[in-house]
Amino acid sequence: MNPDALSSPAEILRWYVDAGVDECIGDDPIDRFAAPAAAPAPVAAPVERVAPAVARAPLQPPTATGATAAHLASAATTVEELRAAVEAYDGCSLKQFASRTVFSDGNPQSRLMVIGEAPGEDEDRQGKPFVGVSGKLLDRMLNSIGYTRDSFYITNVMFWRPPGNRKPTAEEVALCLPFVERHIALVDPAVLLFVGGLAASTLLANPQGITKLRGRWYEFNVPGLPRPVPAMPTFHPAYLLRTPQQKRLAWRDLLAVKQKLDATQG
Ligand code: URA
């Protein structure tokens, strides 16, 4: 629907909310259809250093067996051990509403690790991340920079579908965080791509919206890795499906990711 066809300010506001607009970023209107100014050189853009998130997470309650997510995560020495630990973990109540644990898909040897938000209905049914409509778009986006499910690795910050696809609570996110950080350390990727606001703000410990966070490099520090991993946040494909004019910005982010991967190739 065209926002010009709506008559009251409340209707127009509702239209924007439905279209995925979740923050106001400036007083002056922006013509998103205007030709872009010269694209910034993303690889050379300033880099922000990010401390390990686990250190910032609230205290973890023990599971029925007395182990915390942090204990279980740090005991895993391979991705498969971590998968088993996540599947056995009963400390996050989302698990009881989900059909299955959604851990990862793709190639764990990949240099590119993609981290999204939470499984939806399709993922909950199939047990793999990003297999629904937005996953198909994400696959096409990554294919366009030369990556397929055989050559990238993909997971989420949440391993269980929140009921009704609601936003996970801060507590639920914090419970899964030690597993996510250990996952990154065990995969040891050359580049991280954070897909969507929840993944970006959780892992960067930065409450700003994805519109502000995306398009820049961050140095992601994680316990167990001797060096920071370059991380690029970008828009979630579900948002791009609703707001296709933002695809050109996502495309810039992916080009920056490709450049970084090519530049750091051994
Ligand atoms: N959205 C996500 O962020 N992750 C999925 O796995 C599916 C949809």
Side-chain angles (χ1 to χ4, degrees):
M1 188 191 292
N2 180 346
D4 294 340
L6 303 170
S7 55
S8 74
E11 276 183 310
I12 292 171
L13 200 55
R14 164 60 44 206
W15 185 88
Y16 279 118
V17 170
D18 289 346
V21 177
D22 60 1
E23 63 177 332
C24 179
I25 58 170
D27 292 335
D28 299 321
I30 299 168
D31 181 357
R32 306 228 177 250
F33 295 98
V43 173
V47 169
E48 197 167 305
R49 287 173 180 74
V50 184
V54 159
R56 304 176 311 252
L59 276 182
Q60 299 267 325
T63 64
T65 56
T68 65
H71 280 118
L72 295 168
S74 61
T77 59
T78 64
V79 169
E80 280 316 304
E81 281 179 19
L82 186 70
R83 178 195 294 270
V86 170
E87 282 173 351
Y89 180 64
D90 60 10
C92 179
S93 58
L94 287 181
K95 187 178 188 182
Q96 72 197 64
F97 304 108
S99 314
R100 48 183 56 78
T101 301
V102 177
F103 184 70
S104 72
D105 193 25
N107 183 350
Q109 313 296 329
S110 176
R111 301 178 67 244
L112 173 59
M113 183 170 187
V114 182
I115 307 185
E117 300 192 340
E121 195 179 352
D122 295 307
E123 291 75 22
D124 183 62
R125 207 178 305 118
Q126 295 185 40
K128 287 183 181 175
F130 283 102
V131 290
V133 186
S134 63
K136 300 275 179 285
L137 174 59
L138 185 62
D139 282 350
R140 287 204 301 279
M141 290 162 64
L142 290 163
N143 291 351
S144 68
I145 59 160
Y147 282 80
T148 64
R149 291 260 167 160
D150 291 339
S151 55
F152 67 84
Y153 187 64
I154 189 160
T155 185
N156 284 308
V157 289
M158 304 303 302
F159 301 102
W160 300 280
R161 180 193 182 201
N165 294 346
R166 69 159 168 77
K167 197 174 169 214
T169 65
E171 194 198 4
E172 289 159 353
V173 173
L175 285 168
C176 292
L177 196 52
F179 291 121
V180 180
E181 292 211 327
R182 186 71 184 141
H183 205 173
I184 296 170
L186 292 170
V187 173
D188 189 8
V191 171
L192 285 161
L193 178 64
F194 298 153
V195 171
L198 181 71
S201 61
T202 300
L203 291 164
L204 300 176
N206 186 327
Q208 293 188 94
I210 189 64
T211 309
K212 293 236 175 77
L213 293 174
R214 61 147 288 279
R216 323 177 21 205
W217 286 108
Y218 298 79
E219 282 190 348
F220 187 78
N221 287 287
V222 71
L225 285 184
R227 45 153 187 93
V229 186
M232 169 65 69
T234 194
F235 290 125
H236 196 282
Y239 170 71
L240 294 174
L241 286 169
R242 296 192 301 267
T243 322
Q245 64 270 30
Q246 298 288 54
K247 282 184 185 170
R248 67 197 175 98
L249 294 179
W251 173 236
R252 277 190 202 168
D253 301 342
L254 288 186
L255 285 181
V257 165
K258 166 122 181 77
Q259 281 177 28
K260 182 72 86 182
L261 285 161
D262 291 350
T264 55
Q265 190 105 43

